[in-house]
């Protein structure tokens, strides 16, 4: 039965389990077949439609996954790679970000990704989709403010910004007490 199910969908430009169900295959069997094919590498998720359903393509028809590339003329950075990964993923954990950010000779650790996620969360770029349970699961985030291709960079500068003449005056070390 699985073989005949594959014959039904293998030449479709995109497939969803409902395509199998429409041809008379039980819903549970259609789900099972799609999961098996995805695990076996016969299909790959291509995109989500307007109802947020996963649409798949056969791997011989699949569009190759393109690793994040820096903006033209920019040197790859940890923040840049993490930002590009977040923009592509949409929903992610720090482990997802770290895994997708190790490119271009830049290495990103899970701790670095976790810290960057926290900073962007605090600045209003991310929202928590699923809270973390320490020792059991990581937090899942969603990018809610995509400001463009250049990565937001955390700044740890103390000083005074004068909006009148648009100047920034760094605070001297004596004021930090």
């Amino acid at each position: 039965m699985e073989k005949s199910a594959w014959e039904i969908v293998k030449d479709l430009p995109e497939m969803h389990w409902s395509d199998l169900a429409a041809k008379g295959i039980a819903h549970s069997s259609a789900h099972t077949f799609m999961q098996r094919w995805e695990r076996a590498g016969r299909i790959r998720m291509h995109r989500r439609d307007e109802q947020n359903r996963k649409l798949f393509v056969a791997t011989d028809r699949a569009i190759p996954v393109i690793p994040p590339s820096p903006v033209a003329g920019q040197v790859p950075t940890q923040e840049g790679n993490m930002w590009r990964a977040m923009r592509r993923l949409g929903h992610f954990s720090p482990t997802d970000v770290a895994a997708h950010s190790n490119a271009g000779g830049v290495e990103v650790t899970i701790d670095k990704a976790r810290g960057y996620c926290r900073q962007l969360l605090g600045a209003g770029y991310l929202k928590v989709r699923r809270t973390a349970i320490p020792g059991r699961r990581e937090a899942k985030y969603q990018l809610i403010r995509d400001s463009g291709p250049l990565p937001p960079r955390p700044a740890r500068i103390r000083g005074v910004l004068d909006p009148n003449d648009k100047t920034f005056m760094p605070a001297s070390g004596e004021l930090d007490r």
Side-chain angles (χ1 to χ4, degrees), residues 4 15 28 66 77-78 93-94 98 112 117 149 158 172 176:
S4 62
M15 64 185 86
S28 60
I66 301 166
T77 64
Q78 289 180 331
S93 69
K112 179 69 176 176
C117 286
R158 289 188 179 190
S172 66
D176 288 337

Side-chain angles (χ1 to χ4, degrees), residues 111-176:
D111 287 336
K112 179 69 176 176
R114 188 175 295 124
Y116 192 59
C117 286
R118 282 188 196 129
Q119 289 171 328
L120 291 182
L121 177 67
Y125 285 87
L126 305 179
K127 78 174 186 178
V128 177
R129 297 282 295 182
R130 184 183 73 192
T131 58
I133 299 175
R136 300 182 87 193
R137 72 175 187 204
E138 282 190 300
K140 282 271 192 183
Y141 300 99
Q142 177 182 351
L143 183 63
I144 58 171
R145 183 173 172 219
D146 185 352
S147 58
L150 298 175
R153 293 191 343 224
R156 300 177 193 264
I157 301 172
R158 289 188 179 190
V160 176
L161 176 64
D162 187 346
N164 298 306
D165 60 358
K166 296 180 177 57
T167 59
F168 178 79
M169 298 300 294
S172 66
E174 297 173 2
L175 298 176
D176 288 337

Side-chain angles (χ1 to χ4, degrees), residues 34-64:
M34 296 291 284
Q35 288 171 343
R36 280 185 198 159
W37 298 337
E38 187 176 19
R39 277 194 306 267
R42 292 176 87 179
I43 62 174
R44 173 173 79 78
M45 191 180 108
H46 177 60
R47 67 181 182 94
R48 288 187 181 266
D49 67 4
E50 52 281 345
Q51 287 115 12
N52 205 27
R53 298 181 312 167
K54 290 182 179 180
L55 298 175
F56 294 87
V57 291
T59 52
D60 60 340
R61 302 168 73 86
I63 298 167

Side-chain angles (χ1 to χ4, degrees), residues 73-119:
Q74 298 246 328
V75 176
T77 64
Q78 289 180 331
E79 287 85 7
N81 284 5
M82 288 187 287
W83 178 247
R84 282 183 291 280
M86 288 176 184
R87 291 180 74 208
R88 289 203 177 164
L89 293 170
H91 298 72
F92 46 84
S93 69
T95 300
D96 297 332
V97 172
H100 287 86
S101 299
N102 289 313
V106 176
E107 188 171 326
V108 176
T109 65
I110 295 172
D111 287 336
K112 179 69 176 176
R114 188 175 295 124
Y116 192 59
C117 286
R118 282 188 196 129
Q119 289 171 328

